Every structure is written in structure tokens, then in C-alpha cells.
PDB file of all heavy atoms in Angstrom:
ATOM      1  N   PHE A   1       3.490   3.284  -5.352  1.00  0.00           N
ATOM      2  CA  PHE A   1       2.540   4.254  -5.886  1.00  0.00           C
ATOM      3  C   PHE A   1       2.827   4.472  -7.366  1.00  0.00           C
ATOM      4  O   PHE A   1       3.951   4.733  -7.768  1.00  0.00           O
ATOM      5  CB  PHE A   1       2.647   5.585  -5.143  1.00  0.00           C
ATOM      6  CG  PHE A   1       1.638   6.603  -5.595  1.00  0.00           C
ATOM      7  CD1 PHE A   1       0.332   6.537  -5.146  1.00  0.00           C
ATOM      8  CD2 PHE A   1       1.988   7.604  -6.485  1.00  0.00           C
ATOM      9  CE1 PHE A   1      -0.606   7.462  -5.572  1.00  0.00           C
ATOM     10  CE2 PHE A   1       1.053   8.534  -6.914  1.00  0.00           C
ATOM     11  CZ  PHE A   1      -0.247   8.467  -6.452  1.00  0.00           C
ATOM     12  N   GLY A   2       1.798   4.348  -8.188  1.00  0.00           N
ATOM     13  CA  GLY A   2       1.958   4.494  -9.624  1.00  0.00           C
ATOM     14  C   GLY A   2       2.162   3.183 -10.343  1.00  0.00           C
ATOM     15  O   GLY A   2       2.038   3.130 -11.563  1.00  0.00           O
ATOM     16  N   LEU A   3       2.498   2.122  -9.592  1.00  0.00           N
ATOM     17  CA  LEU A   3       2.597   0.792 -10.189  1.00  0.00           C
ATOM     18  C   LEU A   3       1.225   0.136 -10.150  1.00  0.00           C
ATOM     19  O   LEU A   3       0.322   0.603  -9.436  1.00  0.00           O
ATOM     20  CB  LEU A   3       3.606  -0.056  -9.407  1.00  0.00           C
ATOM     21  CG  LEU A   3       5.066   0.383  -9.472  1.00  0.00           C
ATOM     22  CD1 LEU A   3       5.930  -0.524  -8.601  1.00  0.00           C
ATOM     23  CD2 LEU A   3       5.577   0.376 -10.906  1.00  0.00           C
ATOM     24  N   PRO A   4       1.015  -0.937 -10.900  1.00  0.00           N
ATOM     25  CA  PRO A   4      -0.267  -1.646 -10.820  1.00  0.00           C
ATOM     26  C   PRO A   4      -0.630  -1.984  -9.379  1.00  0.00           C
ATOM     27  O   PRO A   4       0.246  -2.212  -8.528  1.00  0.00           O
ATOM     28  CB  PRO A   4      -0.011  -2.911 -11.655  1.00  0.00           C
ATOM     29  CG  PRO A   4       0.989  -2.465 -12.672  1.00  0.00           C
ATOM     30  CD  PRO A   4       1.896  -1.517 -11.949  1.00  0.00           C
ATOM     31  N   LEU A   5      -1.908  -2.030  -9.107  1.00  0.00           N
ATOM     32  CA  LEU A   5      -2.411  -2.173  -7.744  1.00  0.00           C
ATOM     33  C   LEU A   5      -1.854  -3.399  -7.034  1.00  0.00           C
ATOM     34  O   LEU A   5      -1.662  -3.385  -5.811  1.00  0.00           O
ATOM     35  CB  LEU A   5      -3.942  -2.225  -7.781  1.00  0.00           C
ATOM     36  CG  LEU A   5      -4.696  -2.057  -6.473  1.00  0.00           C
ATOM     37  CD1 LEU A   5      -4.314  -0.768  -5.771  1.00  0.00           C
ATOM     38  CD2 LEU A   5      -6.199  -2.065  -6.754  1.00  0.00           C
ATOM     39  N   ALA A   6      -1.583  -4.458  -7.773  1.00  0.00           N
ATOM     40  CA  ALA A   6      -1.084  -5.690  -7.148  1.00  0.00           C
ATOM     41  C   ALA A   6       0.206  -5.462  -6.377  1.00  0.00           C
ATOM     42  O   ALA A   6       0.471  -6.142  -5.377  1.00  0.00           O
ATOM     43  CB  ALA A   6      -0.885  -6.763  -8.214  1.00  0.00           C
ATOM     44  N   PHE A   7       1.030  -4.511  -6.801  1.00  0.00           N
ATOM     45  CA  PHE A   7       2.283  -4.249  -6.108  1.00  0.00           C
ATOM     46  C   PHE A   7       2.059  -3.671  -4.716  1.00  0.00           C
ATOM     47  O   PHE A   7       2.929  -3.787  -3.849  1.00  0.00           O
ATOM     48  CB  PHE A   7       3.153  -3.289  -6.928  1.00  0.00           C
ATOM     49  CG  PHE A   7       3.747  -3.892  -8.174  1.00  0.00           C
ATOM     50  CD1 PHE A   7       3.016  -3.975  -9.343  1.00  0.00           C
ATOM     51  CD2 PHE A   7       5.044  -4.370  -8.180  1.00  0.00           C
ATOM     52  CE1 PHE A   7       3.552  -4.527 -10.491  1.00  0.00           C
ATOM     53  CE2 PHE A   7       5.605  -4.924  -9.331  1.00  0.00           C
ATOM     54  CZ  PHE A   7       4.856  -5.007 -10.494  1.00  0.00           C
ATOM     55  N   SER A   8       0.925  -3.028  -4.499  1.00  0.00           N
ATOM     56  CA  SER A   8       0.655  -2.413  -3.207  1.00  0.00           C
ATOM     57  C   SER A   8       0.645  -3.423  -2.070  1.00  0.00           C
ATOM     58  O   SER A   8       0.899  -3.071  -0.916  1.00  0.00           O
ATOM     59  CB  SER A   8      -0.702  -1.677  -3.246  1.00  0.00           C
ATOM     60  OG  SER A   8      -0.684  -0.625  -4.183  1.00  0.00           O
ATOM     61  N   VAL A   9       0.353  -4.671  -2.386  1.00  0.00           N
ATOM     62  CA  VAL A   9       0.312  -5.707  -1.357  1.00  0.00           C
ATOM     63  C   VAL A   9       1.651  -5.822  -0.645  1.00  0.00           C
ATOM     64  O   VAL A   9       1.711  -6.127   0.550  1.00  0.00           O
ATOM     65  CB  VAL A   9      -0.093  -7.053  -1.988  1.00  0.00           C
ATOM     66  CG1 VAL A   9       0.021  -8.191  -0.986  1.00  0.00           C
ATOM     67  CG2 VAL A   9      -1.520  -6.970  -2.528  1.00  0.00           C
ATOM     68  N   THR A  10       2.749  -5.543  -1.357  1.00  0.00           N
ATOM     69  CA  THR A  10       4.067  -5.675  -0.735  1.00  0.00           C
ATOM     70  C   THR A  10       4.279  -4.659   0.378  1.00  0.00           C
ATOM     71  O   THR A  10       5.113  -4.879   1.260  1.00  0.00           O
ATOM     72  CB  THR A  10       5.181  -5.514  -1.785  1.00  0.00           C
ATOM     73  OG1 THR A  10       5.115  -4.203  -2.362  1.00  0.00           O
ATOM     74  CG2 THR A  10       5.022  -6.548  -2.894  1.00  0.00           C
ATOM     75  N   ASP A  11       3.551  -3.551   0.357  1.00  0.00           N
ATOM     76  CA  ASP A  11       3.704  -2.520   1.388  1.00  0.00           C
ATOM     77  C   ASP A  11       2.901  -2.822   2.644  1.00  0.00           C
ATOM     78  O   ASP A  11       3.094  -2.155   3.667  1.00  0.00           O
ATOM     79  CB  ASP A  11       3.270  -1.148   0.846  1.00  0.00           C
ATOM     80  CG  ASP A  11       4.328  -0.509  -0.035  1.00  0.00           C
ATOM     81  OD1 ASP A  11       5.520  -0.790   0.172  1.00  0.00           O
ATOM     82  OD2 ASP A  11       3.959   0.258  -0.940  1.00  0.00           O
ATOM     83  N   ILE A  12       1.996  -3.772   2.578  1.00  0.00           N
ATOM     84  CA  ILE A  12       1.182  -4.087   3.750  1.00  0.00           C
ATOM     85  C   ILE A  12       2.024  -4.756   4.826  1.00  0.00           C
ATOM     86  O   ILE A  12       1.716  -4.697   6.015  1.00  0.00           O
ATOM     87  CB  ILE A  12      -0.011  -4.993   3.361  1.00  0.00           C
ATOM     88  CG1 ILE A  12      -0.899  -4.269   2.347  1.00  0.00           C
ATOM     89  CG2 ILE A  12      -0.831  -5.389   4.569  1.00  0.00           C
ATOM     90  CD1 ILE A  12      -1.488  -2.972   2.850  1.00  0.00           C
ATOM     91  N   ASP A  13       3.104  -5.385   4.422  1.00  0.00           N
ATOM     92  CA  ASP A  13       4.012  -6.010   5.381  1.00  0.00           C
ATOM     93  C   ASP A  13       4.501  -4.965   6.372  1.00  0.00           C
ATOM     94  O   ASP A  13       4.842  -3.840   6.007  1.00  0.00           O
ATOM     95  CB  ASP A  13       5.210  -6.618   4.638  1.00  0.00           C
ATOM     96  CG  ASP A  13       6.025  -7.561   5.507  1.00  0.00           C
ATOM     97  OD1 ASP A  13       6.337  -7.178   6.639  1.00  0.00           O
ATOM     98  OD2 ASP A  13       6.336  -8.675   5.041  1.00  0.00           O
ATOM     99  N   ALA A  14       4.570  -5.338   7.628  1.00  0.00           N
ATOM    100  CA  ALA A  14       4.976  -4.399   8.680  1.00  0.00           C
ATOM    101  C   ALA A  14       6.406  -3.894   8.504  1.00  0.00           C
ATOM    102  O   ALA A  14       6.797  -2.907   9.115  1.00  0.00           O
ATOM    103  CB  ALA A  14       4.831  -5.064  10.055  1.00  0.00           C
ATOM    104  N   ILE A  15       7.211  -4.569   7.654  1.00  0.00           N
ATOM    105  CA  ILE A  15       8.581  -4.124   7.425  1.00  0.00           C
ATOM    106  C   ILE A  15       8.591  -2.773   6.723  1.00  0.00           C
ATOM    107  O   ILE A  15       9.504  -1.967   6.882  1.00  0.00           O
ATOM    108  CB  ILE A  15       9.351  -5.176   6.588  1.00  0.00           C
ATOM    109  CG1 ILE A  15       9.480  -6.471   7.381  1.00  0.00           C
ATOM    110  CG2 ILE A  15      10.729  -4.670   6.188  1.00  0.00           C
ATOM    111  CD1 ILE A  15      10.111  -7.609   6.608  1.00  0.00           C
ATOM    112  N   SER A  16       7.567  -2.499   5.948  1.00  0.00           N
ATOM    113  CA  SER A  16       7.489  -1.233   5.223  1.00  0.00           C
ATOM    114  C   SER A  16       7.315  -0.080   6.198  1.00  0.00           C
ATOM    115  O   SER A  16       6.892  -0.246   7.342  1.00  0.00           O
ATOM    116  CB  SER A  16       6.306  -1.261   4.251  1.00  0.00           C
ATOM    117  OG  SER A  16       6.415  -2.328   3.351  1.00  0.00           O
ATOM    118  N   GLY A  17       7.647   1.117   5.733  1.00  0.00           N
ATOM    119  CA  GLY A  17       7.378   2.297   6.536  1.00  0.00           C
ATOM    120  C   GLY A  17       5.876   2.454   6.739  1.00  0.00           C
ATOM    121  O   GLY A  17       5.074   1.988   5.926  1.00  0.00           O
ATOM    122  N   TRP A  18       5.492   3.125   7.810  1.00  0.00           N
ATOM    123  CA  TRP A  18       4.076   3.208   8.154  1.00  0.00           C
ATOM    124  C   TRP A  18       3.282   4.001   7.121  1.00  0.00           C
ATOM    125  O   TRP A  18       2.166   3.630   6.756  1.00  0.00           O
ATOM    126  CB  TRP A  18       3.912   3.814   9.548  1.00  0.00           C
ATOM    127  CG  TRP A  18       2.530   3.674  10.111  1.00  0.00           C
ATOM    128  CD1 TRP A  18       1.678   2.622   9.932  1.00  0.00           C
ATOM    129  CD2 TRP A  18       1.839   4.608  10.937  1.00  0.00           C
ATOM    130  NE1 TRP A  18       0.497   2.836  10.608  1.00  0.00           N
ATOM    131  CE2 TRP A  18       0.569   4.053  11.232  1.00  0.00           C
ATOM    132  CE3 TRP A  18       2.162   5.847  11.473  1.00  0.00           C
ATOM    133  CZ2 TRP A  18      -0.370   4.711  12.038  1.00  0.00           C
ATOM    134  CZ3 TRP A  18       1.244   6.497  12.283  1.00  0.00           C
ATOM    135  CH2 TRP A  18      -0.013   5.928  12.546  1.00  0.00           C
ATOM    136  N   LYS A  19       3.850   5.102   6.619  1.00  0.00           N
ATOM    137  CA  LYS A  19       3.115   5.925   5.652  1.00  0.00           C
ATOM    138  C   LYS A  19       2.833   5.153   4.360  1.00  0.00           C
ATOM    139  O   LYS A  19       1.679   5.111   3.913  1.00  0.00           O
ATOM    140  CB  LYS A  19       3.863   7.220   5.355  1.00  0.00           C
ATOM    141  CG  LYS A  19       3.096   8.192   4.461  1.00  0.00           C
ATOM    142  CD  LYS A  19       3.817   9.535   4.392  1.00  0.00           C
ATOM    143  CE  LYS A  19       3.000  10.558   3.605  1.00  0.00           C
ATOM    144  NZ  LYS A  19       3.013  10.274   2.159  1.00  0.00           N
ATOM    145  N   PRO A  20       3.846   4.538   3.731  1.00  0.00           N
ATOM    146  CA  PRO A  20       3.512   3.748   2.538  1.00  0.00           C
ATOM    147  C   PRO A  20       2.601   2.575   2.852  1.00  0.00           C
ATOM    148  O   PRO A  20       1.810   2.155   1.998  1.00  0.00           O
ATOM    149  CB  PRO A  20       4.875   3.272   2.020  1.00  0.00           C
ATOM    150  CG  PRO A  20       5.833   3.485   3.125  1.00  0.00           C
ATOM    151  CD  PRO A  20       5.307   4.621   3.928  1.00  0.00           C
ATOM    152  N   GLN A  21       2.680   2.054   4.067  1.00  0.00           N
ATOM    153  CA  GLN A  21       1.791   0.969   4.451  1.00  0.00           C
ATOM    154  C   GLN A  21       0.336   1.452   4.483  1.00  0.00           C
ATOM    155  O   GLN A  21      -0.567   0.787   3.967  1.00  0.00           O
ATOM    156  CB  GLN A  21       2.187   0.422   5.822  1.00  0.00           C
ATOM    157  CG  GLN A  21       1.408  -0.821   6.229  1.00  0.00           C
ATOM    158  CD  GLN A  21       1.783  -1.310   7.619  1.00  0.00           C
ATOM    159  OE1 GLN A  21       2.252  -0.530   8.454  1.00  0.00           O
ATOM    160  NE2 GLN A  21       1.575  -2.581   7.881  1.00  0.00           N
ATOM    161  N   ILE A  22       0.107   2.627   5.065  1.00  0.00           N
ATOM    162  CA  ILE A  22      -1.245   3.193   5.111  1.00  0.00           C
ATOM    163  C   ILE A  22      -1.739   3.486   3.693  1.00  0.00           C
ATOM    164  O   ILE A  22      -2.877   3.156   3.330  1.00  0.00           O
ATOM    165  CB  ILE A  22      -1.274   4.484   5.953  1.00  0.00           C
ATOM    166  CG1 ILE A  22      -1.001   4.181   7.425  1.00  0.00           C
ATOM    167  CG2 ILE A  22      -2.633   5.178   5.817  1.00  0.00           C
ATOM    168  CD1 ILE A  22      -0.889   5.430   8.290  1.00  0.00           C
ATOM    169  N   GLU A  23      -0.894   4.116   2.887  1.00  0.00           N
ATOM    170  CA  GLU A  23      -1.301   4.475   1.525  1.00  0.00           C
ATOM    171  C   GLU A  23      -1.652   3.236   0.708  1.00  0.00           C
ATOM    172  O   GLU A  23      -2.643   3.227  -0.034  1.00  0.00           O
ATOM    173  CB  GLU A  23      -0.185   5.271   0.854  1.00  0.00           C
ATOM    174  CG  GLU A  23       0.024   6.654   1.456  1.00  0.00           C
ATOM    175  CD  GLU A  23       1.267   7.345   0.935  1.00  0.00           C
ATOM    176  OE1 GLU A  23       2.210   6.642   0.492  1.00  0.00           O
ATOM    177  OE2 GLU A  23       1.326   8.588   0.973  1.00  0.00           O
ATOM    178  N   ALA A  24      -0.841   2.189   0.853  1.00  0.00           N
ATOM    179  CA  ALA A  24      -1.130   0.954   0.131  1.00  0.00           C
ATOM    180  C   ALA A  24      -2.419   0.317   0.637  1.00  0.00           C
ATOM    181  O   ALA A  24      -3.237  -0.171  -0.151  1.00  0.00           O
ATOM    182  CB  ALA A  24       0.028  -0.026   0.283  1.00  0.00           C
ATOM    183  N   ALA A  25      -2.614   0.330   1.956  1.00  0.00           N
ATOM    184  CA  ALA A  25      -3.834  -0.250   2.531  1.00  0.00           C
ATOM    185  C   ALA A  25      -5.068   0.498   2.053  1.00  0.00           C
ATOM    186  O   ALA A  25      -6.102  -0.115   1.767  1.00  0.00           O
ATOM    187  CB  ALA A  25      -3.752  -0.225   4.058  1.00  0.00           C
ATOM    188  N   GLU A  26      -4.971   1.817   1.932  1.00  0.00           N
ATOM    189  CA  GLU A  26      -6.103   2.601   1.443  1.00  0.00           C
ATOM    190  C   GLU A  26      -6.404   2.260  -0.013  1.00  0.00           C
ATOM    191  O   GLU A  26      -7.577   2.139  -0.396  1.00  0.00           O
ATOM    192  CB  GLU A  26      -5.817   4.095   1.600  1.00  0.00           C
ATOM    193  CG  GLU A  26      -5.845   4.577   3.038  1.00  0.00           C
ATOM    194  CD  GLU A  26      -5.599   6.068   3.169  1.00  0.00           C
ATOM    195  OE1 GLU A  26      -5.047   6.679   2.214  1.00  0.00           O
ATOM    196  OE2 GLU A  26      -5.945   6.635   4.219  1.00  0.00           O
ATOM    197  N   ARG A  27      -5.381   2.120  -0.835  1.00  0.00           N
ATOM    198  CA  ARG A  27      -5.606   1.766  -2.240  1.00  0.00           C
ATOM    199  C   ARG A  27      -6.294   0.406  -2.353  1.00  0.00           C
ATOM    200  O   ARG A  27      -7.233   0.229  -3.138  1.00  0.00           O
ATOM    201  CB  ARG A  27      -4.278   1.742  -3.009  1.00  0.00           C
ATOM    202  CG  ARG A  27      -3.643   3.095  -3.209  1.00  0.00           C
ATOM    203  CD  ARG A  27      -2.558   3.071  -4.270  1.00  0.00           C
ATOM    204  NE  ARG A  27      -1.393   2.277  -3.893  1.00  0.00           N
ATOM    205  CZ  ARG A  27      -0.355   2.735  -3.206  1.00  0.00           C
ATOM    206  NH1 ARG A  27      -0.343   3.999  -2.782  1.00  0.00           N
ATOM    207  NH2 ARG A  27       0.674   1.949  -2.931  1.00  0.00           N
ATOM    208  N   LEU A  28      -5.838  -0.548  -1.559  1.00  0.00           N
ATOM    209  CA  LEU A  28      -6.403  -1.896  -1.631  1.00  0.00           C
ATOM    210  C   LEU A  28      -7.798  -1.950  -1.015  1.00  0.00           C
ATOM    211  O   LEU A  28      -8.663  -2.680  -1.500  1.00  0.00           O
ATOM    212  CB  LEU A  28      -5.467  -2.882  -0.926  1.00  0.00           C
ATOM    213  CG  LEU A  28      -4.126  -3.100  -1.642  1.00  0.00           C
ATOM    214  CD1 LEU A  28      -3.153  -3.853  -0.743  1.00  0.00           C
ATOM    215  CD2 LEU A  28      -4.328  -3.850  -2.958  1.00  0.00           C
ATOM    216  N   ALA A  29      -8.036  -1.177   0.040  1.00  0.00           N
ATOM    217  CA  ALA A  29      -9.381  -1.127   0.626  1.00  0.00           C
ATOM    218  C   ALA A  29     -10.353  -0.483  -0.348  1.00  0.00           C
ATOM    219  O   ALA A  29     -11.505  -0.907  -0.479  1.00  0.00           O
ATOM    220  CB  ALA A  29      -9.356  -0.350   1.945  1.00  0.00           C
ATOM    221  N   ARG A  30      -9.893   0.516  -1.068  1.00  0.00           N
ATOM    222  CA  ARG A  30     -10.743   1.199  -2.052  1.00  0.00           C
ATOM    223  C   ARG A  30     -11.161   0.241  -3.172  1.00  0.00           C
ATOM    224  O   ARG A  30     -12.273   0.323  -3.682  1.00  0.00           O
ATOM    225  CB  ARG A  30      -9.990   2.402  -2.622  1.00  0.00           C
ATOM    226  CG  ARG A  30     -10.840   3.401  -3.384  1.00  0.00           C
ATOM    227  CD  ARG A  30      -9.991   4.553  -3.894  1.00  0.00           C
ATOM    228  NE  ARG A  30      -9.521   5.425  -2.832  1.00  0.00           N
ATOM    229  CZ  ARG A  30      -8.233   5.595  -2.501  1.00  0.00           C
ATOM    230  NH1 ARG A  30      -7.293   4.948  -3.162  1.00  0.00           N
ATOM    231  NH2 ARG A  30      -7.901   6.412  -1.525  1.00  0.00           N
ATOM    232  N   SER A  31     -10.282  -0.681  -3.541  1.00  0.00           N
ATOM    233  CA  SER A  31     -10.597  -1.633  -4.608  1.00  0.00           C
ATOM    234  C   SER A  31     -11.332  -2.864  -4.107  1.00  0.00           C
ATOM    235  O   SER A  31     -11.746  -3.711  -4.894  1.00  0.00           O
ATOM    236  CB  SER A  31      -9.310  -2.081  -5.314  1.00  0.00           C
ATOM    237  OG  SER A  31      -8.598  -3.015  -4.533  1.00  0.00           O
ATOM    238  N   GLY A  32     -11.468  -2.990  -2.779  1.00  0.00           N
ATOM    239  CA  GLY A  32     -12.152  -4.140  -2.204  1.00  0.00           C
ATOM    240  C   GLY A  32     -11.245  -5.312  -1.900  1.00  0.00           C
ATOM    241  O   GLY A  32     -11.710  -6.374  -1.497  1.00  0.00           O
TER     242      GLY A  32
END
């Protein structure tokens, strides 16, 4: 969060915690 949007892709991996995974998925879904 706060880094360029491309970094959010790393949180989509199931290894990440669920909350950051959801937040990253929402950011990426919002951008298409």
C-alpha cells in the first residue's frame, strides 16, 4: 500500500495474508 500499483501483484499470491491480498486485489480490480 502506497507503492506503485505494480507492486500490488505480489500480494495476490496466496502466501500473503488475506487482508493485504483483498486490498491488493481491490486496487488491481479498480484499475482493470
Side-chain angles (χ1 to χ4, degrees):
F1 183 79
L3 293 178
L5 194 55
F7 288 83
S8 297
V9 173
T10 62
D11 282 332
I12 299 300
D13 194 312
I15 295 175
S16 302
W18 192 35
K19 186 171 185 287
Q21 187 182 25
I22 293 175
E23 291 171 335
E26 288 182 341
R27 291 195 293 273
L28 292 168
R30 195 180 290 116
S31 76

